[in-house]
Amino acid sequence: VQGFQTTKPPSSDFDDSNDDFEHYYFMLAPEDGPGVSSMAIQQSMLLGHTMLEDGDGSRSVQLSFIDSISQINQQRVQFEDADQNDRLWEFHRNDEFDEDWDSVASAMGQRFIDEPLGVMPVYSESGFDREEASRNDIILSTNFLEVGIDVGEIKIITQHRTPWDLSSFLQRAGRAARKPGMDSHIAVYLSSLTGDANMFYRADRFL
């Protein structure tokens, strides 16, 4: 597919004692496009609707790291407007506009979530309610949820823009798929600015 490139670590880096995989997706917003925030909202909607519900109906969580409280609140409002009010995911089904998110869910062995997703912002200043978090599909957080706090069965981690440092990013990525045999998916949304673009074009070195 045009615009996509795949890579994988050398065979020496694989742990044969495990049967699960970490999947990383590095996405770069085009300079003449709507921007990284719009890309993040659409891609999070895609991942949320197609990869959070197993065939038996059990749901996992998407934990999205954004290092700015104001951006967390902004993305929550924009996501809820797109997903709950406008229900834009309905236009990506059954080959509408040459896209079929149902097929994506099926190819990944998941059920398509045919209803708006629950979104919850979490940062240290707002406090934290574990029961409320368990009722939501997508959690937007600062580094407050980087370690230690249980928010349910996390399958997907997303990172908005370049992380502050590599060790922090690895800690965040490690929050996903703690259960043996469960694949994790880590999506990184990058802008066309120099720092973000450097991470995008050097993603193979990071892996």
Side-chain angles (χ1 to χ4, degrees):
V1 178
Q2 185 177 8
F4 284 80
Q5 181 178 347
T6 62
T7 187
K8 66 179 181 180
S11 57
S12 59
D13 286 353
F14 283 87
D15 183 357
D16 295 333
S17 65
N18 294 320
D19 60 354
D20 48 22
F21 294 89
E22 288 182 330
H23 305 271
Y24 286 83
Y25 312 88
F26 295 87
M27 292 170 249
L28 185 69
E31 291 186 31
D32 57 350
V36 64
S37 292
S38 295
M39 179 181 71
I41 289 169
Q42 180 166 1
Q43 294 302 318
S44 290
M45 194 184 307
L46 165 65
L47 294 171
H49 281 279
T50 62
M51 295 179 62
L52 289 182
E53 185 165 303
D54 295 335
D56 61 3
S58 60
R59 286 198 188 182
S60 302
V61 174
Q62 175 178 314
L63 177 55
S64 299
F65 286 102
I66 305 173
D67 293 314
S68 164
I69 292 176
S70 62
Q71 287 186 346
I72 285 178
N73 291 326
Q74 181 182 39
Q75 283 213 17
R76 178 185 63 82
V77 171
Q78 292 175 339
F79 188 93
E80 289 178 343
D81 189 48
D83 190 77
Q84 299 176 11
N85 299 332
D86 295 337
R87 299 170 69 96
L88 296 183
W89 46 272
E90 292 184 335
F91 297 100
H92 296 276
R93 307 190 65 188
N94 304 316
D95 293 320
E96 183 101 19
F97 300 115
D98 296 321
E99 295 184 19
D100 187 359
W101 288 5
D102 291 80
S103 293
V104 174
S106 178
M108 299 300 292
Q110 306 293 293
R111 288 184 183 178
F112 185 88
I113 298 179
D114 189 14
E115 63 181 4
L117 302 171
V119 183
M120 177 182 176
V122 175
Y123 34 82
S124 56
E125 287 83 352
S126 70
F128 178 69
D129 186 328
R130 183 177 286 104
E131 290 187 7
E132 183 181 356
S134 68
R135 294 192 294 269
N136 284 275
D137 303 295
I138 297 177
I139 296 175
L140 309 176
S141 180
T142 60
N143 60 355
F144 179 61
L145 291 182
E146 198 170 286
V147 293
I149 299 177
D150 179 26
V151 292
E153 195 75 54
I154 300 170
K155 178 186 289 183
I156 300 170
I157 296 291
T158 72
Q159 169 69 42
H160 184 78
R161 304 288 305 278
T162 303
W164 292 112
D165 59 74
L166 182 58
S167 61
S168 175
F169 179 55
L170 293 175
Q171 185 71 50
R172 295 175 180 189
R175 293 297 316 267
R178 297 284 182 91
K179 185 170 65 176
M182 180 181 183
D183 284 8
S184 63
H185 299 266
I186 299 95
V188 185
Y189 306 131
L190 301 167
S191 74
S192 57
L193 298 176
T194 302
D196 283 7
N198 284 342
M199 185 177 192
F200 178 80
Y201 290 112
R202 297 176 180 178
D204 57 336
R205 301 181 188 179
F206 163 76
L207 295 175

